[in-house]
Amino acid sequence: QVQFVESGGDLVQPGGSLRLSCAASGRIFSTSTMGWYRQAPGKQREWVARITSDGNKAYPDSVKGRFTISRNNAENTVYLQMNSLKPEDTAVYYCNANYGLYRWGKGTLVTVSS
């Protein structure tokens, strides 16, 4: 059974930074494409970053240059470094593997507000 536990969300001022972590259980981590997603109130879940098993990264234009995804295969953990945060980044952030193939975790709340 694959499970994800996200952490690191907080209240931060515009322009600030946060680092999110996602611990994954199961034996799929090292061979999977891992992704971060977010869901703002009243909106659909959207993709914000992904990293393949060999380290190739991709981001949508909305976060490119501000967010950085990384992974530690030895610890089954994926990270999301978020810089220059904006109020529109406020959302619950989730991770998942292989383009959202597995059951979603509880997520971690990021609130960007002054």
Side-chain angles (χ1 to χ4, degrees):
Q1 185 178 0
V2 179
Q3 292 182 322
F4 306 102
V5 179
E6 302 91 349
S7 62
D10 205 348
L11 170 64
V12 62
Q13 291 187 343
S17 298
L18 278 177
R19 188 192 195 206
L20 306 183
S21 300
C22 170
S25 64
R27 298 185 177 184
I28 54 91
F29 187 89
S30 63
T31 59
S32 296
T33 292
M34 296 301 299
W36 281 97
Y37 304 78
R38 67 185 181 189
Q39 187 167 20
K43 295 187 177 181
Q44 289 189 334
R45 186 176 286 139
E46 63 177 352
W47 159 68
V48 296
R50 68 170 172 257
I51 182 168
T52 64
S53 58
D54 57 358
N56 291 314
K57 304 174 185 180
Y59 309 91
D61 289 344
S62 58
V63 306
K64 192 175 295 182
R66 300 189 298 122
F67 289 11
T68 302
I69 189 171
S70 60
R71 66 190 295 162
N72 184 328
N73 288 341
E75 297 186 355
N76 282 11
T77 302
V78 61
Y79 303 97
L80 185 67
Q81 177 66 43
M82 306 186 296
N83 299 327
S84 302
L85 283 162
K86 304 175 180 180
E88 51 262 45
D89 295 319
T90 295
V92 179
Y93 283 71
Y94 305 85
C95 71
N96 209 306
N98 296 329
Y99 307 94
L101 183 63
Y102 301 96
R103 184 176 180 176
W104 297 93
K106 295 182 179 180
T108 186
L109 176 62
V110 173
T111 303
V112 185
S113 175
S114 55

